[in-house]
């Protein structure tokens, strides 16, 4: 016993020491910043000015001056601009400006420099200005603005590495030094990136065989969970394999339901909030200190369900399930069966899979998950779309196919009733496997969830899999299907469970459908169309009397898109997109354009006919005049082809 305590103590000391090491991370970009507290009673503009240049042969390399405004808690997101849409690539010193705004919601202003990929990135002479109450820009004192205090140990005095104070950032692909090639004073700061490829910072590049490991993990989960059915769940005496399989399944599936609930259970996020916060602290520590992942592990939702964090959670749950199964098997080795617990486990799984697919089915029935192709998609060449983008366009094209998929997923509601469980599991398995196949083969980042929906459905179906196969592929008579027996409960508890079940189903179907319809009005196909709805191809663009014709011009507009109220997109001839908030005065025929990056506003005056829109505006002392030709969705073959019973020839274009 004493030896075991010493071994455990030694292990804890080793883990503690390892957790104190400062580890390098790996990625293709780096940055530095300063921050200051800001307050404003009204809207005020600020301006960050800096000199920069880039020496590189890497076409993907770029630099930028960046700024971010952090708002007070519960006040939403503030301003952000990192010049990603106008990157610095010049090899000569130039001055660059980022303009933004602060208001009564603002709490902190963060600003600095950013660079990406291979090359030498020079920065010098940062300046910050904020408007006073009269609208005049006043200089703000910042630390080490011209980098005259030399870099020591790759740290820029007065500046924080990364994008926020307190980040531990040491990026092995980049080095930071002082340099005598400068604009002001004696030194500039030089950041040099080397050895960066398109896969830098990607765990799949660091561990090229990680896909095999993930596949083996899923296979082991299937094997261990299916051990539950080494004997029938109706038997009074379960085999040792069945009991071990059930113990693993109980721990693993219940933890998955808890930490990867994804909104399946109504209001469950309130119950899981604190444990989830603990997991969001533990999983990144586990990934960095135990596994050795060399980059920052983000925990916040970003639309992907297959993040490093998500895989770490699965790995942790698997380890806990294995250890928990061993301990449970030692402490409870004489129990003959787990019939009562089996009922509760399968109920949890049935409701998780059923409610999950009902919610996904609802947003397909009303074509919310896969909307009809936006103008962005219709104008995008096939070859420039991602596999996921191609899948979304394909699935979103047809409202009828959306409804078909949605109804198939809503039928997972049959899992909520024990008498229809096997029938529901067969339908759900086919539906879930199709979803999983799309996610895998079109690189949709919902692989973890869809795989677990398939595994859980197989777990539910496996208790009757022999009977189902006999019925489908032989002419032998089949005994009755297994019905999962509910434990004996008091009458009041029994009635209460039925009431709760009815409320959950009513909530999932009724409120779920209502919420989906409301969401469709907010950002689906029922969103009101703006007055100028359409794509306007610019046929003529004149700046100060000179007609611009260069096909790679970063000034000439290629098209203007009005698709959402209060929003507009402009694509330039060099394929750069610029996004605007707009206010339309259709009576005066004037649109106030406000770039989302905070740069200068301008009044866009227009004259519109059914098929054209002519415009003029003044921007940065340039007078711009243009003519456009309008296109609606009815002008694209994809959206105007329609349905035909008879086709003499295939229209495969």
């Amino acid at each position: 016993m004493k030896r075991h305590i010493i071994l455990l103590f030694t292990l804890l000391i080793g883990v503690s020491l390892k957790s104190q090491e400062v580890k390098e991370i790996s990625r293709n970009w780096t940055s530095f910043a300063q921050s200051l507290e800001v307050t404003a009673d009204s809207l005020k503009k600020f301006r960050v000015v800096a000199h920069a240049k880039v020496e590189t042969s890497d076409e993907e390399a770029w630099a930028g001056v960046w700024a971010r405004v952090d708002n007070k808690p519960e006040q939403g997101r503030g301003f952000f601009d990192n010049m990603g849409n106008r990157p610095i690539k010049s090899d000569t010193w130039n001055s660059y400006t980022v303009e933004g705004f602060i208001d009564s919601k603002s709490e902190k202003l963060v600003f600095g420099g950013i660079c990406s990929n291979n090359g030498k990135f020079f920065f010098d002479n940062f300046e910050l200005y904020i408007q006073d109450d009269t609208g005049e820009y006043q200089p703000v004192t910042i630390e080490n603005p011209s980098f005259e205090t030399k870099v020591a140990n790759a740290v820029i005095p007065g500046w924080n590495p990364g994008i926020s104070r307190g980040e531990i950032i040491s990026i092995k692909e980049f080095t930071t030094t002082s340099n005598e090639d400068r604009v002001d004073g004696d030194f500039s700061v030089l950041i040099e990136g080397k050895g960066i490829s398109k896969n830098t910072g990607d765990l799949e590049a660091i561990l090229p065989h990680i896909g095999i490991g993930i596949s083996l993990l899923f296979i082991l989960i299937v094997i261990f969970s299916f051990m539950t059915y080494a004997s029938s769940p109706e038997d009074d005496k379960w085999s040792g394999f069945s009991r071990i399989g059930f113990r693993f399944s109980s721990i693993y599936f219940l933890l998955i339901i808890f930490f990867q609930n994804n909104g399946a259970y109504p209001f469950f996020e309130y119950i899981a909030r604190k444990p989830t916060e603990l997991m969001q602290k533990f999983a990144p520590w586990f990934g960095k200190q135990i596994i050795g992942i060399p980059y920052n592990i983000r925990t916040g939702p970003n639309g992907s369900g297959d993040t490093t964090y998500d895989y770490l959670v699965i790995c942790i749950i698997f380890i806990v399930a294995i250890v928990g199964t061993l301990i449970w098997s030692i402490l409870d080795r004489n129990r003959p069966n787990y019939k009562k617990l089996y009922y509760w486990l399968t109920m949890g799984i049935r409701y998780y899979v059923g409610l999950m697919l009902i919610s996904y089915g609802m947003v397909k029935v009303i074509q919310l998950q896969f909307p009809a192709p936006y103008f962005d998609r219709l104008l995008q060449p096939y070859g420039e779309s991602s596999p996921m983008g191609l899948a979304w366009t394909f699935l979103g094209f047809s409202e009828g196919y959306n409804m078909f998929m949605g109804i198939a997923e809503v039928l997972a509601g049959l899992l909520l009733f024990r008498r229809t469980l096997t029938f529901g599991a067969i339908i759900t398995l086919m539906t879930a496997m199709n979803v999983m196949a799309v996610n895998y083969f079109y690189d949709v980042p919902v692989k973890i969830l869809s795989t677990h929906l398939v595994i859980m459905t197989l777990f539910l179906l496996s208790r009757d899999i022999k009977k189902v196969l006999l019925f489908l592929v032989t002419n032998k008579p089949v005994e009755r299907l297994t019905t999962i027996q509910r434990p004996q409960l008091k009458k009041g508890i029994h009635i209460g469970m039925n009431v709760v079940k009815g409320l959950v189903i009513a909530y999932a179907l009724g409120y779920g459908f209502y919420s989906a319809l409301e969401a469709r009005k907010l950002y689906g196909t029922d969103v009101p169309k703006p007055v100028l709805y359409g794509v306007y191809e610019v046929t003529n663009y004149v700046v100060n009397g000179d007609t611009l014709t260069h096909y790679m011009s970063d000034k000439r507009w290629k098209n203007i898109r009005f698709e959402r109220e209060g929003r507009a997109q402009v694509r330039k001839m060099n394929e750069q997109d610029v996004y605007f908030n707009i206010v339309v005065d259709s009576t005066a025929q004037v649109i106030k354009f406000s770039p989302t990056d905070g740069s200068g506003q301008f009044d866009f005056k227009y004259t519109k006919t059914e098929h054209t829109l002519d415009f003029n505006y003044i921007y940065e002392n340039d007078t711009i005049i243009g003519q456009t030709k309008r296109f609606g969705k009815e002008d694209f073959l994809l959206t105007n082809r329609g349905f035909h019973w008879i086709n003499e020839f295939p229209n495969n274009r």
Side-chain angles (χ1 to χ4, degrees):
M1 182 68 179
K2 183 177 180 181
R3 183 174 60 187
H4 290 163
I5 293 174
I6 294 173
L7 180 61
L8 178 60
F9 183 70
T10 304
L11 179 61
L12 289 173
I13 291 176
V15 171
S16 177
L17 290 173
K18 189 173 183 181
S19 67
Q20 296 176 32
E21 295 177 3
V22 177
K23 290 198 170 191
E24 288 184 320
I25 68 170
S26 179
R27 68 184 183 202
N28 67 347
W29 65 274
T30 189
S31 64
F32 58 92
Q34 283 192 39
S35 62
L36 70 152
E37 305 297 322
V38 291
T39 57
D41 297 328
S42 59
L43 184 71
K44 293 182 179 180
K45 294 181 180 180
F46 69 84
R47 181 179 293 161
V48 179
V49 183
H51 285 76
K53 71 173 184 174
V54 177
E55 295 179 357
T56 182
S57 58
D58 185 345
E59 293 183 357
E60 300 296 322
W62 63 279
V65 179
W66 71 277
R68 184 187 74 236
V69 176
D70 295 335
N71 284 345
K72 299 171 184 175
E74 310 300 327
Q75 294 295 319
R77 299 178 62 183
F79 170 86
F80 176 76
D81 181 16
N82 66 356
M83 296 185 64
N85 61 351
R86 55 192 192 287
I88 299 171
K89 294 194 173 189
S90 172
D91 61 359
T92 59
W93 284 108
N94 289 293
S95 176
Y96 298 93
T97 300
V98 168
E99 292 184 321
F101 58 88
I102 57 175
D103 54 27
S104 59
K105 299 178 182 178
S106 306
E107 183 175 57
K108 184 168 63 174
L109 171 61
V110 189
F111 62 93
I114 184 171
C115 50
S116 176
N117 290 294
N118 301 289
K120 293 182 178 181
F121 308 92
F122 297 82
F123 296 91
D124 199 5
N125 196 25
F126 270 78
E127 298 173 320
L128 173 64
Y129 301 89
I130 299 179
Q131 282 182 334
D132 59 19
D133 292 336
T134 66
E136 294 294 324
Y137 281 97
Q138 299 298 332
V140 178
T141 302
I142 61 178
E143 295 185 63
N144 197 18
S146 293
F147 310 105
E148 295 308 290
T149 306
K150 295 183 66 174
V151 173
N153 298 320
V155 175
I156 308 172
W159 298 82
N160 305 309
I163 59 175
S164 62
R165 185 180 297 276
E167 275 195 321
I168 300 175
I169 296 291
S170 177
I171 304 171
K172 66 181 183 180
E173 287 80 13
F174 291 91
T175 58
T176 304
T177 58
S178 294
N179 194 274
E180 294 183 359
D181 185 350
R182 76 280 186 188
V183 172
D184 181 62
D186 296 323
F187 302 104
S188 66
V189 68
L190 166 61
I191 301 175
E192 187 168 6
K194 292 182 179 179
I196 299 171
S197 69
K198 66 178 181 179
N199 296 320
T200 295
D202 189 339
L203 189 58
E204 293 180 76
I206 300 167
L207 302 173
H209 302 298
I210 192 172
I212 297 174
I214 293 172
S215 300
L216 288 174
L217 177 64
F218 287 149
I219 291 170
L220 288 173
I221 293 167
V222 172
I223 292 173
F224 289 152
S225 62
F226 280 19
M227 286 168 56
T228 304
Y229 300 103
S231 55
S232 172
E234 294 185 314
D235 294 343
D236 292 328
K237 176 67 176 179
W238 290 13
S239 69
F241 277 114
S242 292
R243 285 175 287 161
I244 290 172
F246 175 80
R247 292 163 188 151
F248 173 86
S249 301
S250 298
I251 298 171
Y252 184 82
F253 288 138
L254 291 178
L255 287 176
I256 287 293
I257 291 171
F258 193 90
F259 287 106
Q260 299 279 315
N261 193 263
N262 202 34
Y265 294 164
F267 311 111
F268 189 78
E269 64 271 15
Y270 299 106
I271 299 173
R273 179 178 297 170
K274 289 298 181 183
T276 300
E277 290 176 357
L278 291 174
M279 178 63 83
Q280 289 176 344
K281 294 178 180 178
F282 178 74
W285 175 88
F286 179 84
K288 283 192 172 184
Q289 306 302 331
I290 305 303
I291 297 180
I293 294 175
Y295 55 81
N296 278 349
I297 299 165
R298 301 186 181 277
T299 60
N302 63 358
S304 171
D306 295 337
T307 64
T308 302
Y309 170 76
D310 293 308
Y311 277 107
L312 285 171
V313 171
I314 299 303
C315 182
I316 291 168
I317 290 175
F318 180 78
I319 293 171
V320 170
I322 293 294
V323 174
T325 300
L326 291 173
I327 296 172
W328 190 354
S329 298
I330 294 171
L331 298 178
D332 197 32
R333 57 184 176 275
N334 295 322
R335 187 180 297 272
N337 64 66
Y338 292 100
K339 287 185 178 181
K340 292 182 179 179
L341 289 179
Y342 179 77
Y343 167 79
W344 295 110
L345 173 64
T346 54
M347 186 179 74
I349 294 175
R350 289 190 293 118
Y351 276 75
Y352 178 75
V353 177
L355 294 176
M356 183 80 72
L357 286 176
I358 286 174
S359 66
Y360 272 103
M362 287 293 185
V363 295
K364 289 185 177 69
V365 167
I366 63 170
Q367 200 178 6
L368 190 61
Q369 183 181 6
F370 303 115
Y374 295 123
F375 285 127
D376 273 353
R377 292 291 187 199
L378 294 172
L379 294 169
Q380 182 183 40
Y382 270 109
E384 293 181 6
S385 63
S386 67
M388 178 178 174
L390 181 62
W392 248 241
T393 304
F394 163 71
L395 296 171
F397 160 75
S398 172
E399 187 174 359
Y401 190 59
N402 268 264
M403 186 172 294
F404 175 80
M405 291 187 295
I407 292 172
E409 291 185 0
V410 169
L411 287 175
L414 294 170
L415 296 176
L416 306 183
F417 305 91
R418 287 176 294 141
R419 293 184 182 278
T420 57
L421 172 57
T422 301
F423 179 45
I426 293 172
I427 295 175
T428 301
L429 181 62
M430 299 300 103
T431 303
M433 288 186 71
N434 178 64
V435 172
M436 185 178 73
V438 171
N439 290 340
Y440 273 78
F441 302 128
Y442 285 86
D443 196 30
V444 180
V446 199
K447 302 176 187 69
I448 291 175
L449 175 61
S450 59
T451 300
H452 280 86
L453 291 177
V454 169
I455 294 174
M456 289 179 174
T457 306
L458 283 170
F459 180 81
L460 295 172
L461 182 61
S462 292
R463 77 196 214 293
D464 277 330
I465 193 67
K466 291 181 181 179
K467 296 176 183 178
V468 170
L469 290 175
L470 283 173
F471 175 78
L472 293 174
V473 301
T474 73
N475 58 359
K476 297 179 181 180
V478 178
E479 299 178 4
R480 66 175 179 83
L481 297 175
T482 306
T483 300
I484 300 174
Q485 297 301 315
R486 175 185 285 178
Q488 292 296 322
L489 302 170
K490 293 182 179 180
K491 185 177 181 181
I493 297 176
H494 180 80
I495 294 173
M497 288 182 61
N498 286 335
V499 170
V500 171
K501 178 178 181 177
L503 291 174
V504 169
I505 294 174
Y507 178 87
L509 293 174
Y511 181 74
F513 189 68
Y514 169 78
S515 298
L517 285 176
E518 290 301 304
R520 179 167 169 164
K521 296 176 184 177
L522 293 175
Y523 55 87
T525 54
D526 289 344
V527 173
K529 300 291 190 296
V531 175
L532 298 176
Y533 180 80
V535 175
Y536 295 84
E537 181 184 357
V538 178
T539 55
N540 191 39
Y541 196 81
V542 181
V543 178
N544 297 327
D546 294 328
T547 301
L548 300 186
T549 59
H550 196 278
Y551 75 100
M552 284 296 289
S553 171
D554 61 352
K555 289 187 176 182
R556 188 188 193 281
W557 290 6
K558 183 176 182 179
N559 58 56
I560 315 169
R561 286 160 276 169
F562 299 98
E563 193 161 19
R564 287 285 184 264
E565 197 72 47
R567 300 285 188 272
Q569 293 172 259
V570 169
R571 175 161 293 177
K572 298 182 180 181
M573 292 299 292
N574 64 353
E575 301 301 322
Q576 174 188 339
D577 284 324
V578 185
Y579 300 88
F580 296 90
N581 296 318
I582 61 172
V583 178
V584 180
D585 184 343
S586 56
T587 302
Q589 293 191 310
V590 175
I591 307 173
K592 183 174 290 295
F593 272 68
S594 302
T596 57
D597 63 8
S599 56
Q601 300 178 351
F602 57 89
D603 290 334
F604 181 96
K605 301 176 182 179
Y606 68 90
T607 303
K608 183 180 180 300
T609 68
E610 183 179 357
H611 300 293
T612 66
L613 182 145
D614 298 342
F615 62 86
N616 66 85
Y617 64 95
I618 298 175
Y619 181 71
E620 294 184 345
N621 297 320
D622 289 331
T623 300
I624 294 98
I625 300 173
Q627 290 82 41
T628 70
K629 176 182 177 182
R630 183 189 181 278
F631 290 90
K633 289 190 176 179
E634 67 278 3
D635 296 305
F636 293 88
L637 176 62
L638 181 64
T639 50
N640 71 20
R641 166 65 180 165
F643 174 81
H644 298 270
W645 286 107
I646 300 172
N647 290 276
E648 302 297 348
F649 300 97
N651 194 339
N652 184 9
R653 292 179 54 183

